[in-house]
Amino acid sequence: MEDFKRLEEIAKTIRRNILTMLNKAGSGHSGGSLSITDILVALYFGGIMKYDAKNPDWEDRDRLVLSKGHACPALYATLAQAGFFDEELLWTLRQLGSPLQGHPDSKKLPGVEASTGSLGNGISQAVGMALAARVLKKRYNVFCIVGDGEMQEGLVYEALMAAGHYKLSNLIVIVDNNGLQIDGQCKDIMNVYPLKEKFEAFNFRTYEMSGHIYKNIIDTLTTAKRNVVSPTAVIARTVKGMGVSFMENRVEYHGVAPSDEELKKALKELG
Amino acid sequence: MEKKATREAYGKALAEIGKDEKVVILDADLSGSTKSSEFKKVYPDRFFNMGIAESNMVDVAAGMALSGLKPYASSFAVFISGRAFEPVRQSICYQNLNVVLCGSHSGISVGEDGGSHQAVADIALMRSLPNMKVFVPADYNEAYSIVLATVEMEGPVYIRTSRAKSPIITEGKNFESARATILKSGNDISLIACGMMSYIALEAALLLKQEGIDVEVINSPSIKPLDTETVYTSAKKTKRVFTMEEHSVIGGLGSAVSEFLSENLPVYVHKIGIEDTFGESGTKDDLFCKFGFTKEAVAKRIKDRLNG
């Protein structure tokens, strides 16, 4: 249990950094960044992924592709925390000349495995990375975080079909199932549910978990890594805006940065 | 004169470059048509059929390139430039990845399949993307040489091949990006062509020679980057430039030449190509007649322009 306490502390720092960098940038995606924070913390600090922050191009590293690229503040804050680059860089988010682009740019920032943001392209690239391991005779895993709203993109299903066909057991797709997209609730805008059955139809082994309870996340992802016969999907129940009371489950905070006043309030809540 | 299709060269050359273990081949259920199947015969473990899902194929190629492989992905030109345009932009070009895309069955020489399957704007689409190089081989030999050259090339490349057989007019040795070759030197006009139009340009030049018009015929397989030096030198000499391509007059070789000359050496440029329209079903020869891609039609058009 003590170890989970450590992860919770790291998550708190990351959430504070996410909100601070978004506030400084004056724009960006708050809600979806906060909903994936605990998943990222489990991946990078919970012993799930193998990586070397000082050697980001290490050939045998596990990869994380953030297909829902608009949630990149969470990725940037996590990578900084893991030591991929100096934390000071976080305060340059979205500014001219910053490697922290509005959506992830693999050419500019160490630790960013693929340029993403145009939804659906990330998961397809992740399939390519997982398939490449077969040619290269490597044993790395590829983790890919997609949004539930993102699953409205047709390209996602081309990617799932290929992953199932090639039995990419080194591919683990995690769905940030927060139920909201920019125009409203996913079920109202374009009903994308059920998700589990869709993955199963493409020959994924599929799990559901809480996206905010560390024991649950780590147990599920550990089990997913052991699957050697098929790709795995993990549908994570998450809360958009998680950790900040006035942002939680509020669609208004999808693409909006906190004001100075909101930041102060949020940081106080996070403690 | 020996006739072969550029798509056949693509397949043969892939089988040759496959000795490099970083080379992987992807196709979208058209490997028998694009000829990427030639690679599969030799290296089945590095051939991946991605099914009828071109967008995913292009993104998978991107993911493989990010992992250190050298992917070649092919489909019909109309699909790889159209259907898959978004991943070509977002994943391949935006990340400047070492991926080679091949669009076969380009232009109206596709023939009977008709306008839905005849790419008339693929050069324009691909050329507009930052980082992308665009190569259109004149014949089998040049196509083969282009594929060999791309193995060591940095950044994304688009190769445009054809279904129809056409005469072999180049030696196709040691292809270089941004290099055009003078097929016939002349003093009166410059005729710059690519793809199988280069052969027709050469034939039209011979007809015009009989009428006292001395045409310089330039084969320009590298649309982007363009061989601006050769274009400049020739245009400076002749002061009248004609371009010829099996592609829309909007956005292709003619546009590339016009863009360069209008800023650096404003001379008369006339573009011969597909006049902002789609193709249709028919035999290749019937279509070439209808669209004015015969030596007689080209010679007449140039003569009319010079007299007009």
Side-chain angles (χ1 to χ4, degrees):
Chain A
M1 283 312 283
E2 216 154 62
D3 205 34
F4 299 141
K5 196 81 200 146
R6 178 182 67 91
L7 296 180
E8 281 160 16
E9 285 303 315
I10 293 171
K12 199 180 283 180
T13 305
I14 287 175
R15 282 196 165 88
R16 292 174 66 90
N17 286 346
I18 289 170
L19 293 161
T20 307
M21 65 202 281
L22 281 164
N23 168 263
K24 278 189 201 293
S27 67
H29 298 81
S30 305
S33 296
L34 295 171
S35 68
I36 63 167
T37 299
D38 296 312
I39 296 166
L40 287 171
V41 168
L43 286 168
Y44 282 86
F45 302 98
I48 300 296
M49 277 176 59
K50 59 176 194 287
Y51 62 90
D52 179 356
K54 295 297 162 224
N55 183 12
D57 296 327
W58 177 36
E59 287 182 7
D60 295 306
R61 71 192 184 281
D62 289 336
R63 275 87 168 153
L64 171 81
V65 176
L66 183 62
S67 198
K68 49 169 292 182
H70 55 279
C72 57
L75 176 64
Y76 297 159
T78 304
L79 292 175
Q81 190 74 20
F84 282 86
F85 51 84
D86 198 282
E87 193 182 273
E88 287 301 305
L89 260 187
L90 293 179
W91 321 130
T92 67
L93 173 71
R94 289 180 166 239
Q95 286 173 19
L96 186 64
S98 170
L100 279 69
Q101 294 285 296
H103 291 83
D105 186 329
S106 69
K107 293 284 157 190
K108 295 202 160 97
L109 194 64
V112 172
E113 296 287 354
S115 294
T116 54
S118 167
L119 298 177
N121 287 301
I123 184 171
S124 275
Q125 292 184 82
V127 168
M129 291 176 188
L131 196 50
R134 191 169 296 179
V135 179
L136 296 164
K137 299 184 172 62
K138 298 279 181 194
R139 296 177 63 85
Y140 60 76
N141 290 307
V142 182
F143 296 88
C144 179
I145 301 179
V146 299
D148 46 5
E150 179 177 13
M151 292 199 59
Q152 292 162 357
E153 283 285 1
L155 179 52
V156 169
Y157 301 93
E158 291 188 12
L160 298 187
M161 180 168 57
H165 176 80
Y166 282 107
K167 300 185 172 64
L168 299 177
S169 60
N170 58 341
L171 178 71
I172 298 168
V173 177
I174 304 167
V175 185
D176 175 22
N177 183 21
N178 63 34
L180 298 175
Q181 59 189 111
I182 194 162
D183 267 357
Q185 295 196 47
C186 299
K187 68 178 171 59
D188 298 333
I189 302 304
M190 179 52 67
N191 191 2
V192 68
Y193 307 105
L195 298 177
K196 192 166 187 278
E197 288 81 350
K198 286 188 177 67
F199 280 102
E200 282 168 351
F202 288 108
N203 298 311
F204 276 62
R205 185 175 290 172
T206 307
Y207 300 95
E208 290 173 298
M209 69 175 189
S210 158
H212 301 300
I213 298 169
Y214 283 105
K215 181 169 170 28
N216 197 191
I217 300 172
I218 288 168
D219 285 351
T220 310
L221 294 179
T222 304
T223 307
K225 277 167 60 175
R226 290 199 193 109
N227 180 5
V228 291
V229 295
S230 73
T232 306
V234 177
I235 297 161
R237 289 180 304 275
T238 55
V239 173
K240 201 156 186 163
M242 179 70 181
V244 179
S245 64
F246 58 91
M247 287 186 174
E248 284 181 5
N249 283 318
R250 293 280 299 277
V251 76
E252 298 89 320
Y253 287 95
H254 172 96
V256 176
S259 65
D260 292 349
E261 196 58 34
E262 288 168 329
L263 177 66
K264 209 190 279 176
K265 212 170 135 191
L267 292 182
K268 202 170 162 190
E269 275 188 24
L270 286 166
Chain B
M1 194 176 274
E2 193 188 7
K3 283 184 166 188
K4 274 169 140 178
T6 48
R7 62 173 168 146
E8 295 171 49
Y10 179 71
K12 286 285 179 212
L14 290 187
E16 168 70 22
I17 63 174
K19 55 182 184 264
D20 181 338
E21 291 186 351
K22 298 277 185 224
V23 170
V24 286
I25 307 301
L26 300 99
D27 206 296
D29 194 40
L30 287 169
S31 62
S33 300
T34 64
K35 299 297 175 190
S36 68
S37 54
E38 293 293 321
F39 181 91
K40 188 183 179 184
K41 288 180 198 162
V42 196
Y43 304 104
D45 292 349
R46 281 185 276 131
F47 176 88
F48 298 96
N49 204 323
M50 301 312 294
I52 309 166
E54 296 80 9
S55 298
N56 184 59
M57 172 178 74
V58 168
D59 268 328
V60 166
M64 289 175 147
L66 286 165
S67 311
L69 296 172
K70 176 86 186 192
Y72 286 68
S74 49
S75 181
F76 284 1
V78 74
F79 302 134
I80 206 157
S81 71
R83 175 83 67 138
F85 182 78
E86 216 265 343
V88 171
R89 180 202 186 277
Q90 299 289 1
S91 304
I92 307 288
C93 289
Y94 188 55
Q95 296 181 98
N96 196 20
L97 296 178
N98 298 330
V99 174
V100 178
L101 303 171
C102 175
S104 76
H105 293 60
S106 62
I108 54 171
S109 56
V110 169
E112 293 80 352
D113 274 357
S116 59
H117 284 55
Q118 295 165 350
V120 296
D122 55 317
I123 298 175
L125 286 163
M126 293 299 198
R127 194 172 74 88
S128 69
L129 291 172
N131 295 327
M132 182 66 94
K133 297 181 190 70
V134 178
F135 302 141
V136 183
D139 63 11
Y140 179 97
N141 287 349
E142 196 163 70
Y144 193 90
S145 172
I146 287 174
V147 176
L148 295 195
T150 55
V151 179
E152 297 300 327
M153 231 173 249
E154 294 285 320
V157 173
Y158 176 63
I159 304 174
R160 184 188 213 226
T161 63
S162 299
R163 170 180 181 250
K165 291 178 167 35
S166 63
I168 294 177
I169 56 169
T170 74
E171 285 190 20
K173 293 244 156 54
N174 305 321
F175 172 83
E176 276 177 40
S177 182
R179 197 182 66 185
T181 50
I182 296 172
L183 296 178
K184 173 193 167 304
S185 51
N187 293 306
D188 295 337
I189 67 159
S190 307
L191 178 53
I192 307 170
C194 65
M196 67 176 82
M197 293 297 113
S198 289
Y199 169 72
I200 296 169
L202 204 50
E203 284 200 312
L206 297 178
L207 284 181
L208 289 164
K209 181 91 179 168
Q210 293 164 14
E211 310 211 20
I213 301 166
D214 189 19
V215 181
E216 179 147 285
V217 182
I218 296 171
N219 172 41
S220 177
S222 183
I223 314 289
K224 184 188 173 189
L226 190 68
D227 181 350
T228 52
E229 205 180 308
T230 300
V231 170
Y232 186 92
T233 308
S234 183
K236 196 164 168 93
K237 177 171 64 176
T238 64
K239 299 187 177 56
R240 283 173 300 192
V241 175
F242 290 76
T243 62
M244 202 176 154
E245 61 199 305
E246 195 192 338
H247 182 274
S248 173
V249 290
I250 299 172
L253 171 66
S255 294
V257 169
S258 301
E259 286 158 16
F260 168 70
L261 288 176
S262 66
E263 286 188 7
N264 296 284
L265 183 71
V267 295
Y268 177 82
V269 180
H270 180 75
K271 295 180 288 195
I272 300 169
I274 298 166
E275 300 289 342
D276 194 19
T277 186
F278 290 109
E280 63 187 81
S281 287
T283 65
K284 176 217 149 203
D285 288 344
D286 284 350
L287 285 162
F288 272 22
C289 274
K290 174 165 179 174
F291 282 78
F293 295 154
T294 62
K295 59 183 174 185
E296 294 83 4
V298 172
K300 181 174 184 308
R301 186 158 169 181
I302 290 173
K303 223 165 47 187
D304 289 350
R305 279 284 154 175
L306 293 177
N307 295 332

